[in-house]
Amino acid sequence: DAKTTQPTSMDCAEGRAANLPCNHSTISGNEYVYWYRQIHSQGPQYIIHGLKNNETNEMASLIITEDRKSSTLILPHATLRDTAVYYCIVRVTQGGSEKLVFGKGMKLTVNP
Amino acid sequence: GAVVSQHPSWVICKSGTSVKIECRSLDFQATTMFWYRQFPKQSLMLMATSNEGSKATYEQGVEKDKFLINHASLTLSTLTVTSAHPEDSSFYICSARGLAGMQFFGPGTRLTVL
């Protein structure tokens, strides 16, 4: 089972920052938080990941709370092409191997 | 990011036939590959994990004799759906993880069984 919970959906205006929340209250100390997104009928696209420090790359920023029980993905200037299902995933170790177990994700709709 | 390809991108087959889907990591060596399945309006469901040269490990409820996985090299894994039936129609997505630990996904293969 996925170890994360996200809102079902969110709307954002084009050009504004999109803040996507994620709860992972049962995360263990050495488990990373990953964010992927999936545009309709395509494979998931990697966005960013982190352990405990905030991270930033050319796509987004990841803010992880000090207790690591939640995180926020920030798209600084959302565009229409950012409309997608966003998955917040805690990589878990099951059966001796590390896996990405997807939850339901959150549908972000960027409006003109 | 690294590139993972899948072939074919879509396939239509008759019930009872077998279908093979290829997954390739184009610019890195994939020590581990994963196969997921996604039904309409649902999330990705992990089917199996395979390490190069080893037998695949299947998730609970996934029939290993129906979904044959071969990971013969560090850049190629194949999924064969044997004796396909309409309920096997789905979007099959592979993923590859290299030594750096990053996991990248292929574009998916749409399987339709008539």
Side-chain angles (χ1 to χ4, degrees):
Chain A
D1 291 335
K3 297 182 69 170
T4 62
T5 55
Q6 300 173 253
T8 302
S9 63
M10 177 181 289
D11 280 37
C12 175
E14 187 179 18
R16 304 296 293 269
N19 297 316
L20 287 65
C22 178
N23 286 322
H24 31 79
S25 58
T26 62
I27 193 170
S28 298
N30 60 348
E31 291 176 334
Y32 281 77
V33 178
Y34 286 79
W35 283 84
Y36 286 80
R37 70 182 182 184
Q38 186 179 29
I39 297 170
H40 183 62
S41 295
Q42 297 181 25
Q45 176 190 23
Y46 166 80
I47 301 173
I48 200 167
H49 74 285
L51 182 63
K52 57 182 179 180
N53 296 322
N54 296 338
E55 302 288 344
T56 296
N57 63 20
E58 64 278 5
M59 289 184 69
S61 295
L62 175 60
I63 308 299
I64 303 174
T65 58
E66 193 169 341
D67 62 8
R68 300 187 71 239
K69 293 185 177 181
S70 66
S71 61
T72 300
L73 178 74
I74 301 173
L75 307 178
H77 305 287
T79 70
L80 298 179
R81 288 181 293 181
D82 291 324
T83 292
V85 177
Y86 286 76
Y87 295 96
C88 168
I89 306 167
V90 172
R91 192 162 83 178
V92 298
T93 300
Q94 291 178 350
S97 64
E98 294 184 328
K99 308 173 184 179
L100 293 179
V101 178
F102 283 73
K104 295 181 179 180
M106 187 199 80
K107 177 67 184 294
L108 173 69
T109 301
V110 181
N111 299 305
Chain B
V3 179
V4 177
S5 70
Q6 280 184 243
H7 178 80
S9 55
W10 60 270
V11 57
I12 301 172
C13 69
K14 292 182 179 180
S15 185
T17 61
S18 295
V19 175
K20 180 184 283 188
I21 302 170
E22 290 188 351
C23 175
R24 294 180 184 272
S25 57
L26 298 184
D27 51 2
F28 68 103
Q29 293 186 326
T31 52
T32 306
M33 285 188 167
F34 306 85
W35 287 95
Y36 292 79
R37 180 168 56 179
Q38 185 175 32
F39 292 107
K41 297 188 178 182
Q42 295 188 21
S43 186
L44 283 77
M45 185 191 77
L46 180 64
M47 299 176 65
T49 302
S50 72
N51 293 300
E52 184 262 340
S54 302
K55 288 184 178 179
T57 302
Y58 291 81
E59 296 298 305
Q60 192 171 9
V62 178
E63 300 175 56
K64 63 179 182 180
D65 294 330
K66 181 169 183 62
F67 299 100
L68 302 179
I69 292 172
N70 184 282
H71 189 171
S73 77
L74 287 173
T75 59
L76 173 64
S77 176
T78 60
L79 168 68
T80 301
V81 183
T82 62
S83 186
H85 290 282
E87 57 266 30
D88 298 323
S89 297
S90 189
F91 192 48
Y92 291 86
I93 306 170
C94 77
S95 181
R97 187 168 74 207
L99 289 174
M102 290 302 303
Q103 189 168 333
F104 298 95
F105 288 80
T109 296
R110 176 79 54 192
L111 170 63
T112 301
V113 185
L114 302 176

